Amino acid sequence: MGKRDELIEKYAEDLKTKCGVDPDMALLTKVTIGCGPAIYNDDASTVAASQPGELETVKTNFLMKKLGLADGPELMSGIEKVIETYGKSERNKYRAVVYYLLTKHFGKESVYA
């Protein structure tokens, strides 16, 4: 098993145990691949949910650029909902898991089809 496959397994486990979500493995794999080399970097592989600047980056670079959503208050409320699902007290929120949850939240699975 390669490093990426190990990470995908770890992300699936987080989705099951911390988020109560049964992951669509094909989508999770595509979202993880879409994160690129960031998944291998300790700092870049997680989302600092307590930093407004980080959440703004997720909104701009992922929701607007990648998923093609128009800017609006529903984007930040979607991010906040996903952070709550993951657990605010959860220190390591993996970027791929957050992106997966956001993709599902906004019904944008077709972006990865």
Side-chain angles (χ1 to χ4, degrees):
M1 192 186 310
K3 179 80 171 137
R4 185 172 72 202
D5 292 330
E6 289 173 22
L7 289 169
I8 291 168
E9 285 298 314
K10 185 174 12 174
Y11 302 153
E13 191 57 32
D14 261 25
L15 282 163
K16 287 178 198 154
T17 60
K18 297 175 184 168
C19 306
V21 172
D22 192 25
D24 170 344
M25 291 307 288
L27 179 63
L28 179 58
T29 300
K30 290 174 183 171
V31 170
T32 302
I33 292 168
C35 289
I39 62 170
Y40 304 110
N41 176 306
D42 284 345
D43 187 44
S45 69
T46 57
V47 173
S50 59
Q51 297 177 358
E54 173 83 351
L55 299 182
E56 196 61 40
T57 301
V58 168
K59 182 180 97 170
T60 305
N61 293 350
F62 185 69
L63 295 179
M64 292 165 65
K65 289 182 181 168
K66 178 72 181 169
L67 299 186
L69 297 167
D71 194 4
E74 67 281 355
L75 297 189
M76 263 313 169
S77 68
I79 291 171
E80 287 165 15
K81 188 170 188 290
V82 161
I83 298 301
E84 264 179 48
T85 300
Y86 209 143
K88 285 186 186 273
S89 62
E90 188 54 48
R91 197 167 165 273
N92 288 326
K93 292 178 184 65
Y94 293 107
R95 187 169 302 279
V97 174
V98 170
Y99 285 8
Y100 173 89
L101 291 169
L102 286 168
T103 302
K104 293 293 250 183
H105 176 81
F106 286 106
K108 288 298 213 166
E109 294 90 339
S110 61
V111 170
Y112 290 99

